[in-house]
Amino acid sequence: MRRRVLQTIEEYRMLSPGDRVVVGCSGGADSTALLYLLWQLRQQLGISVCACHINHQLRGEESERDEQFVRSFCAARGIALTVERIDAAALAQQQGESVETASRRARYAIFERVAGEKGKIATAHTMNDNAETLLFYLARGAGLKGMGGIPPVRGRIIRPLIGCTRIQVEDFCRKEGLSFVTDSTNLSTDYTRNRIRQELVPQMSEVNSGFLKNAYDLSCTARQDNDLLTQMTEQALKVLCKKENPLTLDREAFLQLHPALQTRVLLWIQRRAGVEVHFDLACRMLQKAREGGRTELRRGTMFCCKGKEMVLDAQAFYKEQRQPYFEKPFCAGKIALFAGKTVEVLIYSGEDYKFFFKKDTTILKNAIDCDKMKDNAVFRQRKEGDRIQISGKQGTKPLKKLWNERKTPQPQRWRAAVLADGQGVLWVEGLGTDCRVAPDENSRQVAWIRVEEDQG
């Protein structure tokens, strides 16, 4: 294994003479073997080696045992050691993350601090970890980047054991007489990665004993291919982007690209729009690029394809407004929502509104029983999850679905006035009134809403 580690260090140019290396050591077989190996090779490589142990305080006495083991291991060999303690559970709750995610973030932050500006950070990820990560990403949904698994080098982080299997590491520990500790939580299948480690990887290895090596080779190839495509995409963007406006792209040149590059350009556009990257959204954007049209990427931001241009338009609906979102209290009289749109609220009581309704029952579509409203109602734009049960119809429906059924253009949807109270939507411009506040023969005070839209 020693030879394989040296090959990996040389292949990926992980270390140079004079480097200071901080080894993250949990006390497990992998990290203990890594710390021992680099300590043994320190003179050969011309490096200095120290260790860093993080006590996450998650396993009570077992966590204390791990810390003491690492202290004793380093003391016996004169290895400089930094020990940090974090309350991982409290940190996760405070940050609204899983314990695993919060712990990892805190752990690497400590490694960075201990390593200083020029130090390297060595972690003990193995070929098994890479296969587990690849399967995890594959199940969750991943492209070439996900298939790249765990990179041997990421910035200052190096993984000298990435070309070794866990069995090889444990064999090395036995031959060298190295003791190590075992994290009992690794035996639990409550965690997704543990299920992959204990169930999927062994099953894949039964199908082909070379699974771990094949997964490693796939990751190496995927990283190379991803790097090449990334470079080609950057070159393509230099040609596609208009110098006067980087968010305007040459549509004709885009359509001449290979589909793999087209997809990557569209994913780049999504990132520029501040949208979570989705392959299916990129496919919809590609269809628009071919046929012409536009797709809403996020509130108020459109991907528009027309003529010779593809444009990321962040002000597609609100050309005259710096703050497009509006929220105005419900009251009688005229209410300016934003440039070009005003609503007028007329309040009728008793016999007055009944007189109007007898003359024109369609007025009910824009009428609301004021006594049925809850809390303080406001006029606003639509929000994700808005639903309404149109008076006279069965069941509630999302506004998005109702607009889709009516083939309402996207700009009209974001410009549509919505009246809502603390319990939900009361009325939507063009759709009507929710049955919850629909006037009836017992209504005493009714508001009629009229919309004025400046078409100029």
Side-chain angles (χ1 to χ4, degrees):
M1 192 180 84
R2 183 179 282 100
R3 181 183 301 174
R4 178 57 181 150
V5 169
L6 284 170
Q7 289 175 348
T8 301
I9 290 173
E10 182 179 357
E11 179 182 358
Y12 292 101
R13 300 179 181 178
M14 292 182 174
L15 295 171
S16 300
D19 280 343
R20 177 175 179 270
V21 183
V22 176
V23 181
C25 185
S26 66
D30 299 340
S31 62
T32 299
L34 176 62
L35 177 58
Y36 181 76
L37 255 177
L38 291 179
W39 176 73
Q40 277 195 326
L41 296 169
R42 66 191 187 284
Q43 292 182 345
Q44 180 179 341
L45 296 172
I47 61 175
S48 62
V49 176
C50 62
C52 182
H53 175 79
I54 313 297
N55 186 335
H56 298 88
Q57 303 184 74
L58 289 170
R59 293 174 287 119
E61 292 183 1
E62 193 174 284
S63 293
E64 301 303 316
R65 176 209 66 184
D66 294 354
E67 178 183 325
Q68 187 55 49
F69 170 84
V70 176
R71 286 184 182 277
S72 299
F73 183 91
C74 292
R77 293 163 180 80
I79 301 173
L81 170 66
T82 299
V83 175
E84 296 275 352
R85 300 169 71 90
I86 61 173
D87 188 341
L91 190 64
Q93 184 176 12
Q94 177 184 349
Q95 297 180 353
E97 299 175 320
S98 68
V99 172
E100 186 178 15
T101 299
S103 297
R104 184 182 185 279
R105 192 191 308 279
R107 184 164 61 248
Y108 276 92
I110 292 171
F111 290 160
E112 292 277 355
R113 174 165 51 79
V114 174
E117 293 184 2
K118 298 182 180 180
K120 299 285 182 68
I121 300 166
T123 62
H125 293 94
T126 65
M127 200 178 283
N128 291 66
D129 295 306
N130 180 76
E132 293 161 12
T133 299
L134 191 152
L135 289 172
F136 177 79
Y137 284 145
L138 182 62
R140 191 177 66 175
L144 274 181
K145 185 176 181 180
M147 292 298 94
I150 300 176
V153 177
R154 180 172 63 83
R156 294 193 294 154
I157 300 170
I158 61 173
R159 285 139 180 158
L161 298 184
I162 198 68
C164 304
T165 67
R166 188 160 291 133
I167 289 178
Q168 290 173 329
V169 170
E170 292 176 354
D171 284 345
F172 175 82
C173 288
R174 279 192 291 271
K175 290 176 182 178
E176 296 293 328
L178 299 176
S179 59
F180 53 86
V181 294
T182 300
D183 185 340
S184 63
T185 61
N186 288 337
L187 304 177
S188 169
T189 56
D190 292 340
Y191 300 100
T192 301
R193 284 191 178 273
N194 285 359
R195 291 201 301 274
I196 293 174
R197 178 181 302 125
Q198 296 180 33
E199 299 173 7
L200 289 185
V201 171
Q203 290 173 13
M204 296 297 287
S205 296
E206 286 181 9
V207 174
N208 187 331
S209 59
F211 167 67
L212 292 177
K213 178 64 165 58
N214 293 339
Y216 177 74
D217 291 342
L218 171 61
S219 292
C220 292
T221 302
R223 283 195 299 272
Q224 289 178 346
D225 292 350
N226 187 58
D227 288 344
L228 174 60
L229 284 170
T230 298
Q231 291 177 19
M232 295 176 69
T233 302
E234 292 172 352
Q235 293 170 0
L237 286 167
K238 291 179 181 178
V239 175
L240 295 175
C241 294
K242 300 294 183 69
K243 292 182 179 180
E244 61 276 11
N245 184 359
L247 299 184
T248 299
L249 281 64
D250 188 317
R251 183 181 173 200
E252 293 179 348
F254 169 83
L255 293 174
Q256 297 301 314
L257 294 175
H258 188 281
L261 292 179
Q262 289 180 337
T263 300
R264 284 173 170 258
V265 169
L266 296 176
L267 296 177
W268 175 84
I269 289 174
Q270 290 184 49
R271 286 192 291 270
R272 287 297 298 265
V275 178
E276 185 177 351
V277 175
H278 286 293
F279 183 77
D280 57 347
L281 176 57
C283 291
R284 294 199 298 273
M285 292 167 66
L286 179 59
Q287 195 64 29
K288 294 296 184 182
R290 289 171 180 160
E291 300 176 355
R294 54 188 183 176
T295 299
E296 184 179 25
L297 299 184
R298 58 178 296 191
R299 184 178 72 83
T301 299
M302 297 288 284
F303 170 67
C304 309
C305 298
K306 184 178 180 181
K308 297 182 179 181
E309 294 183 340
M310 294 167 33
V311 181
L312 181 62
D313 192 345
Q315 295 293 321
F317 313 143
Y318 312 101
K319 297 294 185 184
E320 301 175 3
Q321 220 178 344
R322 293 183 180 179
Q323 300 294 331
Y325 189 81
F326 64 84
E327 188 170 292
K328 300 293 181 68
F330 173 85
C331 62
K334 287 192 174 184
I335 305 170
L337 302 183
F338 57 84
K341 182 180 287 290
T342 302
V343 293
E344 183 177 16
V345 178
L346 303 175
I347 306 294
Y348 296 93
S349 60
E351 297 301 320
D352 290 338
Y353 92 86
K354 293 179 181 179
F355 172 77
F356 281 103
F357 292 164
K358 287 178 182 178
K359 295 179 62 176
D360 183 5
T361 56
T362 60
I363 201 171
L364 286 169
K365 181 179 180 180
N366 297 310
I368 292 174
D369 187 326
C370 297
D371 296 324
K372 296 178 181 178
M373 298 166 64
K374 304 295 182 182
D375 306 318
N376 296 319
V378 296
F379 284 103
R380 60 169 173 79
Q381 287 165 274
R382 68 163 183 175
K383 292 182 178 179
E384 288 296 325
D386 275 349
R387 303 176 67 91
I388 191 171
Q389 180 176 351
I390 301 298
S391 181
K393 303 291 184 179
Q394 293 294 321
T396 65
K397 285 187 177 182
L399 302 192
K400 181 178 181 179
K401 184 173 184 179
L402 290 169
W403 277 320
N404 286 343
E405 292 173 352
R406 291 164 171 76
K407 301 187 184 306
T408 304
Q410 288 287 352
Q412 290 184 25
R413 301 183 189 193
W414 279 116
R415 290 183 67 86
V418 175
L419 179 64
D421 62 12
Q423 293 187 6
V425 174
L426 304 174
W427 167 88
V428 180
E429 176 187 353
L431 297 180
T433 301
D434 188 272
C435 64
R436 176 166 63 92
V437 291
D440 54 39
E441 63 276 7
N442 298 317
S443 297
R444 295 178 299 174
Q445 192 172 44
V446 175
W448 179 56
I449 304 171
R450 185 167 64 89
V451 180
E452 296 179 359
E453 180 84 51
D454 181 3
Q455 301 298 329

